[in-house]
Amino acid sequence: MQSLNERRAIFVYEGARLAAQAAGAPIIPSSWGEREVAFREQFIAVIERQSGEQRSNSPEELHGSWMQAYFTMGWVYGEKYDRERHVHPDLVPYAQLGQLERDKDAVFIALCAIARQWVYD
């Protein structure tokens, strides 16, 4: 049985994935089940933090945290996304992101708020 944080993580992740798809984003993440264990574990930890008192409502701060998590998992910056080689074009400071990528961070915050309120035991 999945924990509350894991259920919230799946909800937020898949919701953000669908939002990226609907917005026509250049990078549509793989489904939750296709992601590597290290990614899922760090994402669950992020959702646990976002579900508690220490949550952030700053897209810029969350982007910085996302970058650190990706660097820790061995990802590097590159102009073209390559999941196999762990290359991602969004590994840049928040101020350098385009509007679509900034919007994805805001959607993430909104999905976390929905998960806190409506995904519960």
Side-chain angles (χ1 to χ4, degrees), residues 9-10 12-14 16-17 29-47 66 69-70 72-73 75 81 83 86 88 108:
I10 293 167
V12 171
Y13 180 85
E14 291 294 345
R17 192 172 79 78
S30 302
S31 68
W32 177 260
E34 295 174 3
R35 295 306 301 255
E36 49 282 340
V37 172
F39 174 86
R40 291 192 309 238
E41 288 174 350
Q42 69 81 30
F43 196 86
I44 291 168
V46 169
I47 297 305
W66 171 83
Y70 265 58
T72 298
M73 291 185 294
W75 286 73
Y81 178 80
R83 183 175 169 205
H86 290 170
H88 206 299
F108 174 80

Side-chain angles (χ1 to χ4, degrees), residues 58-103:
S58 165
E60 185 171 4
E61 182 179 310
L62 287 169
H63 179 74
S65 295
W66 171 83
M67 285 179 53
Q68 287 304 313
Y70 265 58
F71 289 142
T72 298
M73 291 185 294
W75 286 73
V76 297
Y77 168 79
E79 289 187 22
K80 186 173 179 180
Y81 178 80
D82 186 330
R83 183 175 169 205
E84 302 283 322
R85 293 184 177 161
H86 290 170
V87 176
H88 206 299
D90 296 336
L91 288 169
V92 297
Y94 184 80
Q96 293 178 19
L97 293 175
Q99 189 60 52
L100 181 62
E101 299 309 317
R102 290 180 186 202
D103 290 347

Side-chain angles (χ1 to χ4, degrees), residues 6-24:
E6 186 174 4
R7 289 186 290 117
R8 285 178 173 169
I10 293 167
F11 170 82
V12 171
Y13 180 85
E14 291 294 345
R17 192 172 79 78
L18 290 172
Q21 191 173 39

